[in-house]
Amino acid sequence: MGDARARGLAAVSAAASADELAEVETTLFGRKSVLGQIKQTLGSLDHEHRATVGRALNEAQLALREAHAAAADDLSTAARREQLRSEQLDLTESLAGPGRGHLHLVTQTTERLEDVFVGMGFTVSEGPQAETDWYNFEALNLPAAHPARSMWDTLYLDLGERTELGDGEGGEASNVLLRTHTSPVQIRVMEVQPPPIYTICPGRVFRRDTADASHMPVFHQIEGLVVDRGISFTDLAGTLEEFTSAYFGKAISSRLRPSYFPFTEPSAEFDITCVLCEGSGCQTCGRTGWIELGGCGMVHPNVLSNCGIDFEEWTGFAFGFGIDRLALMRHGIDDLRDMYTNDTRFLAQF
């Protein structure tokens, strides 16, 4: 019995394929197998020997069936792995000789920005690209007559039924739109996360702009939000200066100019030293030495109240700028459309 069991286990281990294992199965469990023949002789044995031999026979058969099942699983897994390997498709496109496809320039820029801000202690937040009027306008203190709500500037969606986006205060399904900025993500964060809040909100946004050298109907923004006790305008200026040095280098600095935005008070335009001439003045910066990067300001008390945050206890600041434009300035690209024409000769440079 022991020899039959050992030979059977050796045969299972030696099977190199599912077909070979199937052939071994007949010799192990068929009526003409060694164990099968022993089973047929049980009736001729006396009661005492029959019990002993039967117990050993069952143990041998159980061991062989377990070994056979394990071998079948291993061979099936190996065959499946080999099939996947042989059928695998390389979906990357060859660029610049032996090189391979890589991340798009906008994606590279987004990831660099995220790395900088995460290193400064910020988290990264995301939200839906289709938003309600409440999150895109109302919660951000944008009045009903604001130009951004015009059909000429904003892409509204005709859904014909209510959505699952969350209507907020007065949001309607008929007022669902493609977000015009990533500020709605800030609202969603403030609704669910109690202060302190330190987060950035990168993502795709949409405007009814005609494509030209500096505008696209679909582009990308990154916005930042800080809400904490004792936050002041000085903290905003220091954060932007720290970001500018970390991303562009120590030769580039920032400045703030008074401005107006409905969702911040006070508000400012965020300028950086021209990255081409480093402040000496050139055609790109209009001989001023400065380039406008985005907008910023202290979060308006109405915005904090709309999100259920006590503006007497908490203050904050927000800022935002275009990722696409940042990529243009960093790499000296003249025409924004070049990044979206899918010309591999252009994309392979970055």
Side-chain angles (χ1 to χ4, degrees):
M1 188 76 68
D3 291 341
R5 176 175 175 176
R7 288 196 301 271
L9 292 175
V12 170
S13 299
S17 67
D19 292 338
E20 291 183 12
L21 190 63
E23 294 178 2
V24 172
E25 182 178 9
T26 303
T27 63
L28 293 178
F29 309 116
R31 296 187 62 181
K32 295 182 179 181
S33 66
V34 175
L35 296 180
Q37 292 176 358
I38 294 175
K39 185 176 182 180
Q40 294 177 26
T41 65
L42 288 176
S44 62
L45 300 176
D46 58 52
H47 178 74
E48 182 179 351
H49 287 86
R50 185 187 307 166
T52 302
V53 174
R55 189 180 304 110
L57 178 63
N58 288 335
E59 291 177 356
Q61 287 181 325
L62 179 60
L64 290 175
R65 290 193 182 279
E66 290 179 348
H68 183 274
D73 287 341
D74 292 342
L75 291 173
S76 176
T77 300
R80 178 60 176 167
R81 187 181 299 112
E82 177 60 25
Q83 180 185 6
L84 292 175
R85 188 199 64 77
S86 63
E87 295 179 355
Q88 181 178 359
L89 298 177
D90 184 0
L91 301 181
T92 58
E93 183 176 359
S94 178
L95 295 175
R100 292 294 183 182
H102 58 270
L103 295 177
H104 190 276
L105 181 56
V106 172
T107 305
Q108 294 180 43
T109 304
T110 302
E111 292 187 350
R112 289 194 187 101
L113 291 170
E114 291 176 353
D115 288 344
V116 169
F117 281 111
V118 168
M120 295 169 61
F122 285 73
T123 62
V124 180
S125 301
E126 297 180 342
Q129 296 179 11
E131 278 290 7
T132 62
D133 184 86
W134 166 254
Y135 287 104
N136 201 79
F137 295 127
E138 288 284 349
L140 290 162
N141 202 39
L142 285 161
H146 195 278
R149 296 196 183 207
S150 168
M151 294 291 290
W152 299 106
D153 295 312
T154 302
L155 296 165
Y156 288 86
L157 303 177
D158 183 8
L159 301 182
E161 58 184 13
R162 298 190 67 80
T163 69
E164 301 298 328
L165 288 172
D167 293 327
E169 296 287 339
E172 299 292 340
S174 60
N175 288 334
V176 174
L177 50 94
L178 295 178
R179 65 185 183 187
T180 58
H181 42 200
T182 58
S183 300
V185 182
Q186 299 181 16
I187 300 298
R188 291 181 177 274
V189 170
M190 286 190 285
E191 282 185 337
V192 300
Q193 178 181 334
I197 299 171
Y198 292 79
T199 191
I200 56 169
C201 311
R204 183 179 291 112
V205 296
F206 308 83
R207 302 274 178 88
R208 295 187 64 171
D209 286 334
T210 301
D212 58 28
S214 57
H215 298 86
M216 292 289 288
V218 181
F219 55 104
H220 303 79
Q221 280 188 344
I222 185 169
E223 300 192 16
L225 172 69
V226 169
V227 180
D228 206 341
R229 290 186 176 92
I231 295 297
S232 67
F233 204 87
T234 302
D235 298 308
L236 168 61
T239 299
L240 293 178
E241 180 64 23
E242 179 68 20
F243 157 72
T244 302
S245 297
Y247 187 79
F248 292 100
K250 297 296 184 180
I252 307 300
S253 59
S254 65
R255 72 175 184 182
L256 301 179
R257 292 180 292 108
S259 185
Y260 166 76
F261 302 108
F263 31 81
T264 53
E265 179 60 38
S267 305
E269 297 287 352
F270 168 36
D271 298 338
I272 63 170
T273 310
C274 179
V275 295
L276 298 180
C277 66
E278 296 186 352
S280 60
C282 64
Q283 184 176 356
T284 300
C285 62
R287 309 299 176 185
T288 65
W290 296 93
I291 296 179
E292 179 184 328
L293 191 62
C296 59
M298 300 299 293
V299 179
H300 199 289
N302 291 348
V303 175
L304 295 175
S305 296
N306 289 337
C307 299
I309 296 177
D310 185 355
F311 62 82
E312 293 185 351
E313 179 180 2
W314 305 95
T315 56
F317 63 77
F319 57 86
F321 45 85
I323 297 176
D324 311 68
R325 189 179 182 193
L326 206 61
L328 295 186
M329 290 190 295
R330 184 181 179 91
H331 297 282
I333 301 171
D334 296 326
D335 196 320
L336 180 63
R337 292 168 293 188
D338 289 340
M339 292 197 295
Y340 298 102
T341 55
N342 294 326
D343 187 335
T344 56
R345 295 170 299 179
F346 171 81
L347 296 174
Q349 302 176 56
F350 307 100

